[in-house]
PDB file of all heavy atoms in Angstrom:
ATOM      1  N   ALA A 338      -8.011 -51.490  13.088  1.00 98.00           N
ATOM      2  CA  ALA A 338      -6.982 -51.678  14.131  1.00 98.00           C
ATOM      3  C   ALA A 338      -7.123 -50.615  15.207  1.00 98.00           C
ATOM      4  O   ALA A 338      -6.980 -50.888  16.410  1.00 98.00           O
ATOM      5  CB  ALA A 338      -5.584 -51.624  13.507  1.00 98.00           C
ATOM      6  N   LEU A 339      -7.438 -49.394  14.798  1.00 98.00           N
ATOM      7  CA  LEU A 339      -7.588 -48.310  15.779  1.00 98.00           C
ATOM      8  C   LEU A 339      -8.835 -48.527  16.638  1.00 98.00           C
ATOM      9  O   LEU A 339      -8.818 -48.268  17.844  1.00 98.00           O
ATOM     10  CB  LEU A 339      -7.662 -46.960  15.059  1.00 98.00           C
ATOM     11  CG  LEU A 339      -6.296 -46.465  14.562  1.00 98.00           C
ATOM     12  CD1 LEU A 339      -6.457 -45.393  13.494  1.00 98.00           C
ATOM     13  CD2 LEU A 339      -5.460 -45.932  15.727  1.00 98.00           C
ATOM     14  N   ILE A 340      -9.878 -49.034  16.005  1.00 98.00           N
ATOM     15  CA  ILE A 340     -11.110 -49.284  16.779  1.00 98.00           C
ATOM     16  C   ILE A 340     -10.863 -50.398  17.800  1.00 98.00           C
ATOM     17  O   ILE A 340     -11.253 -50.294  18.971  1.00 98.00           O
ATOM     18  CB  ILE A 340     -12.284 -49.574  15.827  1.00 98.00           C
ATOM     19  CG1 ILE A 340     -12.726 -48.220  15.228  1.00 98.00           C
ATOM     20  CG2 ILE A 340     -13.446 -50.276  16.544  1.00 98.00           C
ATOM     21  CD1 ILE A 340     -13.828 -48.268  14.221  1.00 98.00           C
ATOM     22  N   ALA A 341     -10.131 -51.424  17.374  1.00 98.00           N
ATOM     23  CA  ALA A 341      -9.816 -52.514  18.320  1.00 98.00           C
ATOM     24  C   ALA A 341      -8.954 -51.979  19.462  1.00 98.00           C
ATOM     25  O   ALA A 341      -9.168 -52.320  20.636  1.00 98.00           O
ATOM     26  CB  ALA A 341      -9.092 -53.644  17.582  1.00 98.00           C
ATOM     27  N   LEU A 342      -8.002 -51.114  19.112  1.00 98.00           N
ATOM     28  CA  LEU A 342      -7.127 -50.543  20.145  1.00 98.00           C
ATOM     29  C   LEU A 342      -7.938 -49.686  21.119  1.00 98.00           C
ATOM     30  O   LEU A 342      -7.744 -49.739  22.341  1.00 98.00           O
ATOM     31  CB  LEU A 342      -6.029 -49.699  19.467  1.00 98.00           C
ATOM     32  CG  LEU A 342      -4.935 -49.124  20.360  1.00 98.00           C
ATOM     33  CD1 LEU A 342      -4.121 -50.232  21.035  1.00 98.00           C
ATOM     34  CD2 LEU A 342      -3.994 -48.220  19.540  1.00 98.00           C
ATOM     35  N   ALA A 343      -8.872 -48.923  20.564  1.00 98.00           N
ATOM     36  CA  ALA A 343      -9.706 -48.071  21.424  1.00 98.00           C
ATOM     37  C   ALA A 343     -10.559 -48.929  22.357  1.00 98.00           C
ATOM     38  O   ALA A 343     -10.723 -48.608  23.538  1.00 98.00           O
ATOM     39  CB  ALA A 343     -10.590 -47.169  20.554  1.00 98.00           C
ATOM     40  N   GLU A 344     -11.058 -50.038  21.847  1.00 98.00           N
ATOM     41  CA  GLU A 344     -11.889 -50.908  22.704  1.00 98.00           C
ATOM     42  C   GLU A 344     -11.058 -51.507  23.830  1.00 98.00           C
ATOM     43  O   GLU A 344     -11.474 -51.535  24.990  1.00 98.00           O
ATOM     44  CB  GLU A 344     -12.554 -52.002  21.861  1.00 98.00           C
ATOM     45  CG  GLU A 344     -13.703 -51.403  21.072  1.00 98.00           C
ATOM     46  CD  GLU A 344     -14.357 -52.356  20.085  1.00 98.00           C
ATOM     47  OE1 GLU A 344     -13.850 -53.496  19.920  1.00 98.00           O
ATOM     48  OE2 GLU A 344     -15.356 -51.940  19.471  1.00 98.00           O
ATOM     49  N   ASP A 345      -9.848 -51.943  23.467  1.00 98.00           N
ATOM     50  CA  ASP A 345      -8.944 -52.466  24.507  1.00 98.00           C
ATOM     51  C   ASP A 345      -8.628 -51.391  25.537  1.00 98.00           C
ATOM     52  O   ASP A 345      -8.577 -51.652  26.738  1.00 98.00           O
ATOM     53  CB  ASP A 345      -7.626 -52.931  23.870  1.00 98.00           C
ATOM     54  CG  ASP A 345      -7.731 -54.349  23.333  1.00 98.00           C
ATOM     55  OD1 ASP A 345      -8.646 -55.067  23.782  1.00 98.00           O
ATOM     56  OD2 ASP A 345      -6.902 -54.722  22.491  1.00 98.00           O
ATOM     57  N   ALA A 346      -8.390 -50.175  25.028  1.00 98.00           N
ATOM     58  CA  ALA A 346      -8.038 -49.067  25.929  1.00 98.00           C
ATOM     59  C   ALA A 346      -9.169 -48.839  26.928  1.00 98.00           C
ATOM     60  O   ALA A 346      -8.944 -48.765  28.142  1.00 98.00           O
ATOM     61  CB  ALA A 346      -7.780 -47.799  25.117  1.00 98.00           C
ATOM     62  N   ALA A 347     -10.384 -48.757  26.413  1.00 98.00           N
ATOM     63  CA  ALA A 347     -11.525 -48.488  27.293  1.00 98.00           C
ATOM     64  C   ALA A 347     -11.662 -49.575  28.350  1.00 98.00           C
ATOM     65  O   ALA A 347     -11.975 -49.299  29.511  1.00 98.00           O
ATOM     66  CB  ALA A 347     -12.795 -48.365  26.461  1.00 98.00           C
ATOM     67  N   SER A 348     -11.374 -50.825  27.958  1.00 98.00           N
ATOM     68  CA  SER A 348     -11.558 -51.917  28.921  1.00 98.00           C
ATOM     69  C   SER A 348     -10.529 -51.849  30.058  1.00 98.00           C
ATOM     70  O   SER A 348     -10.721 -52.421  31.116  1.00 98.00           O
ATOM     71  CB  SER A 348     -11.485 -53.276  28.219  1.00 98.00           C
ATOM     72  OG  SER A 348     -10.137 -53.538  27.862  1.00 98.00           O
ATOM     73  N   LEU A 349      -9.435 -51.119  29.831  1.00 98.00           N
ATOM     74  CA  LEU A 349      -8.425 -50.965  30.895  1.00 98.00           C
ATOM     75  C   LEU A 349      -8.765 -49.812  31.841  1.00 98.00           C
ATOM     76  O   LEU A 349      -8.156 -49.662  32.884  1.00 98.00           O
ATOM     77  CB  LEU A 349      -7.051 -50.651  30.280  1.00 98.00           C
ATOM     78  CG  LEU A 349      -6.406 -51.678  29.373  1.00 98.00           C
ATOM     79  CD1 LEU A 349      -5.174 -51.079  28.700  1.00 98.00           C
ATOM     80  CD2 LEU A 349      -6.023 -52.923  30.158  1.00 98.00           C
TER      81      LEU A 349
END
Side-chain angles (χ1 to χ4, degrees):
L339 284 162
I340 284 178
L342 186 63
E344 285 174 354
D345 276 340
S348 73
L349 297 171

